[in-house]
Amino acid sequence: MQHKPVLELSDVKKIAQAAEACATQNNWAVTIAVVDDGGHLLWLQRLDGAPAISAHIAPAKAHTAALGRRESKVYEDVINGGRSSFLSAPGISGMLEGGVPILKDGQCLGAVGVSGVKSTEDAQIARAGIAALGL
């Protein structure tokens, strides 16, 4: 039987706090979502001024990154590269940059999804959150 690490509530809070700090430092109004390795929502935080739709997009990006165990940007690039049929992939809808998996020793623990600013900035915030874990 294999054993794998899992995110605890204290980990999720560290991620959210660091992601929020990155966003507020840059005056970016975003929504931050943290999911477990199955894409189930553990944390959702919509900062003041973040667009309402970002509360739907951030969890979708995180879900996609967790299930795929890779950044959601990979899927965006595939679609932009001409493989539009990938839009019909079952069970995933957040195929935009800004979802980043949380990886430790080759295992996916979950993911962070951010929405509200440019996609590259969303991903920057997600990575800042994950960096707080010191993996």
Side-chain angles (χ1 to χ4, degrees), residues 69-101:
R69 286 148 171 65
R70 58 182 51 100
E71 291 203 24
S72 55
K73 183 181 187 323
V74 169
Y75 302 109
E76 181 178 7
D77 291 344
V78 165
I79 294 162
N80 288 341
R83 190 165 180 215
S84 58
S85 63
F86 201 81
L87 290 168
S88 66
I92 55 174
S93 60
M95 294 182 274
L96 302 165
E97 184 175 7
V100 180

Side-chain angles (χ1 to χ4, degrees), residues 1-71:
M1 181 177 297
Q2 295 184 5
H3 299 278
K4 68 175 186 172
V6 296
L7 292 173
E8 296 179 344
L9 181 58
S10 61
D11 300 320
V12 173
K13 288 180 178 181
K14 282 180 195 174
I15 294 166
Q17 185 178 28
E20 179 184 356
C22 177
T24 56
Q25 179 181 359
N26 290 290
N27 294 314
W28 293 334
V30 297
T31 295
I32 301 159
V34 181
V35 301
D36 67 12
D37 62 335
H40 303 99
L41 190 62
L42 300 173
W43 188 274
L44 182 69
Q45 181 175 357
R46 184 173 155 207
L47 303 182
D48 293 341
I53 196 164
S54 67
H56 293 277
I57 296 172
K61 289 179 178 183
H63 181 262
T64 296
L67 292 182
R69 286 148 171 65
R70 58 182 51 100
E71 291 203 24

Side-chain angles (χ1 to χ4, degrees), residues 95-116:
M95 294 182 274
L96 302 165
E97 184 175 7
V100 180
I102 303 166
L103 303 171
K104 179 178 182 185
D105 300 328
Q107 295 287 325
C108 181
L109 311 182
V112 179
V114 179
S115 178

